[in-house]
């Protein structure tokens, strides 16, 4: 049986990065989405909000005040989940009650002084400043001998629990490898041992050849809906060159990263003509001083929307108890994202 025959029936697909399966039920959506859009009027946001704790010059918690920044602005989270001065301790009983202290740092990165901009609507030079700030944070936090992993991410939209509309991301750095990175690292290592190339290098060659899941590209990056996507419009952003962290990107690649991020977020916003919510984040090599030629830099976009600006996918029932499940296939999702206009709908009303 060839793939298209198999793919028209219920089937499962393997995520080689995590070793986990996703159930795909394409028969449940013969006509999943007819192109209708349920436009949500853009929130009336101001370039500066006097009540926003991220806007330049405004007060923050604990009587701190933001500088009148003009580019990006990074600071230690006032309510950090991780602290650098955490005392070392370990607890173990019966091999069942196990706990360890965890030191780290949580940073907040304001992408722009403008309260009303999102990545999709920032200029490329402005987005490049964000990329440069990520590189700096990765290098500075990673240089701390107690930091083994630096997780850069953005939660966008109230639906994802983002409490403030001001464009910003977070950087959490900690002592031990978080679960997701740990799984991916194991799989990357096994692949590299056998093939001598990174898992995502080989996967990217396959996808570029097939094209059916590719959304958009530039000279240095490819955005695609991964074969094993769980969220309806989940995408994976892969660097064409096998590098293990943002800090290995050269000048032109950093600008290309800004470009592909703008392409990605613009396509998302245009899909349902809304400010598309998502969790986005980079996976990079550990920063424990080791060499990780097997690890390949990439970013995941996990958006929760299913059919419109207001209809969200729920991960409940079978998903919580058994395994993730999706109806719309990765191939169909990629086609939708590929076919939306590449120019932002707020810049060129349709
Ligand atoms: Zn603001
Ligand atoms: Zn990853």
């Amino acid at each position: 049986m060839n793939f298209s025959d198999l793919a028209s029936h219920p089937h499962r697909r393997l995520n080689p990065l995590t070793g986990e399966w996703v159930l795909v039920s394409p028969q449940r959506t013969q006509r999943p989405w007819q192109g209708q859009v349920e436009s949500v009027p853009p929130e009336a946001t101001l370039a500066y909000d006097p009540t926003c704790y991220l806007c330049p010059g405004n007060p923050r918690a604990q009587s701190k005040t933001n500088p009148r920044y003009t580019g990006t602005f990074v600071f230690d989270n006032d309510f950090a989940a991780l602290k650098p001065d955490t005392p070392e301790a370990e607890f173990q009983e019966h091999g069942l009650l196990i706990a360890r202290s965890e030191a780290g740092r949580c940073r907040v990165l304001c992408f722009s002084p403008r309260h009303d901009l999102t990545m999709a609507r920032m200029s490329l030079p402005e987005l490049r400043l964000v990329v440069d700030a990520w590189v700096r944070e990765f290098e500075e936090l990673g240089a701390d001998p107690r930091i083994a992993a630096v997780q850069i991410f953005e939660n966008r939209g109230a639906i994802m629990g983002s409490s403030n509309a001001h464009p910003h991301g977070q950087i959490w750095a900690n002592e031990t490898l978080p679960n997701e990175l740990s799984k991916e690292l194991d799989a990357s290592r096994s692949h590299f041992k056998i093939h001598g190339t990174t898992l995502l290098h080989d996967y990217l060659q396959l996808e570029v050849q097939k094209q059916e899941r590719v959304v958009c590209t530039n000279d240095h990056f490819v955005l695609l809906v991964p074969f094993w996507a769980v969220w309806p419009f989940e995408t994976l952003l892969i660097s064409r060159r096998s590098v293990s962290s943002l800090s290995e990107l050269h000048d032109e690649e950093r600008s290309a990263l800004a470009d592909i991020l703008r392409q990605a977020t613009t396509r998302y916003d245009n899909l349902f003509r809304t400010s598309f919510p998502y969790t986005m984040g980079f996976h990079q090599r550990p920063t424990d001083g080791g060499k990780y030629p097997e690890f390949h830099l990439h970013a995941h976009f996990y958006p929760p929307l299913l059919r419109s600006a207001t209809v969200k996918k729920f991960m409940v029932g079978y998903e919580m108890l058994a395994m993730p499940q999706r109806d719309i296939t990765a191939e169909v999702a990629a086609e939708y994202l590929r076919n939306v206009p590449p120019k932002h709908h707020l810049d060129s009303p349709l």
Side-chain angles (χ1 to χ4, degrees):
M1 189 182 262
N2 65 34
F3 175 66
S4 58
D5 292 336
L6 177 151
S8 60
H9 300 285
H11 62 281
R12 45 155 96 188
R13 300 189 187 190
L14 178 69
N15 179 343
L17 281 168
T18 61
E20 285 160 9
W21 294 85
V22 51
L23 180 64
V24 185
S25 315
Q27 77 286 358
R28 301 221 303 184
T29 51
Q30 291 305 316
R31 284 178 296 174
W33 177 54
Q34 297 291 290
Q36 74 276 23
V37 287
E38 191 184 316
S39 263
V40 172
E43 301 147 36
T45 45
L46 305 162
Y48 167 76
D49 177 348
T51 68
C52 169
Y53 61 85
L54 298 175
C55 275
N58 284 4
R60 286 209 321 270
Q62 296 153 10
S63 55
K64 290 175 189 132
T65 302
N66 296 327
R68 297 196 175 276
Y69 63 95
T70 53
T72 56
F73 169 52
V74 196
F75 60 94
D76 277 320
N77 194 318
D78 299 316
F79 303 99
L82 293 155
K83 299 280 194 183
D85 52 1
T86 304
E88 250 179 77
E90 201 165 342
F91 173 81
Q92 194 271 114
E93 198 173 313
H94 241 75
L96 291 172
L97 309 179
I98 299 170
R100 281 181 201 140
S101 57
E102 187 74 26
R105 269 176 91 181
C106 295
R107 309 268 285 159
V108 177
L109 167 63
C110 295
F111 294 166
S112 160
R114 285 270 304 264
H115 185 83
D116 59 339
L117 290 185
T118 60
M119 279 212 269
R121 307 204 63 220
M122 285 166 68
S123 70
L124 288 179
E126 286 168 334
L127 266 174
R128 170 64 197 259
L129 293 180
V130 176
V131 172
D132 291 343
W134 284 332
V135 172
R136 227 170 25 240
E137 287 300 308
F138 176 78
E139 289 176 353
E140 285 177 19
L141 290 164
D144 183 331
R146 277 188 86 181
I147 297 297
V150 178
Q151 181 60 59
I152 292 170
F153 65 101
E154 179 193 10
N155 274 339
R156 165 128 210 94
I159 205 172
M160 296 308 284
S162 180
S163 52
N164 189 323
H166 195 113
H168 71 285
Q170 302 190 52
I171 303 139
W172 289 26
N174 59 309
E175 243 187 302
T176 51
L177 301 192
N179 301 345
E180 293 305 307
L181 184 60
S182 181
K183 283 184 270 184
E184 290 192 354
L185 195 59
D186 287 347
S188 302
R189 194 169 287 149
S190 310
H191 185 96
F192 194 80
K193 244 183 217 162
I194 298 166
H195 303 279
T197 44
T198 68
L199 191 160
L200 287 182
H201 167 273
D202 293 351
Y203 174 61
L204 188 59
Q205 305 317 305
L206 276 175
E207 290 293 22
V208 165
Q209 193 192 337
K210 293 183 188 292
Q211 285 292 318
E212 61 183 334
R213 282 171 294 272
V214 173
V215 174
C216 55
T217 67
N218 63 24
D219 286 349
H220 299 290
F221 290 90
V222 175
L223 181 82
L224 51 86
V225 178
F227 184 74
W228 52 84
V230 166
W231 293 93
F233 293 97
E234 175 178 335
T235 55
L236 185 62
L237 175 58
I238 309 175
S239 61
R240 288 193 192 262
R241 195 160 66 88
S242 296
V243 292
S244 61
S245 71
L246 290 168
S247 67
E248 286 161 63
L249 297 178
H250 56 60
D251 184 66
E252 203 183 297
E253 288 170 322
R254 290 189 195 186
S255 295
L257 177 56
D259 168 72
I260 199 87
L261 286 170
R262 195 168 70 157
Q263 288 196 48
T265 51
T266 297
R267 282 174 186 278
Y268 275 141
D269 281 5
N270 285 351
L271 186 64
F272 300 134
R273 298 186 70 187
T274 188
S275 187
F276 209 78
Y278 56 75
T279 279
M280 181 281 283
F282 291 93
H283 279 148
Q284 308 186 71
R285 65 163 168 82
T287 56
D288 57 2
K291 290 254 175 282
Y292 292 92
E294 71 273 29
F295 199 79
H296 195 122
L297 169 72
H298 62 281
H300 300 273
F301 276 91
Y302 298 128
L305 296 184
L306 176 61
R307 267 196 305 276
S308 73
T310 50
V311 180
K312 169 183 184 289
K313 175 175 172 68
F314 287 97
M315 288 280 204
V316 295
Y318 193 77
E319 275 108 346
M320 289 181 99
L321 294 161
M323 70 198 289
Q325 182 271 340
R326 61 182 288 134
D327 294 343
I328 172 179
T329 64
E331 295 70 43
V332 170
E335 199 182 325
Y336 285 142
L337 285 169
R338 225 175 12 243
N339 291 338
V340 294
K343 196 171 172 202
H344 200 281
H345 68 94
L346 291 178
D347 296 332
S348 58
L350 299 172

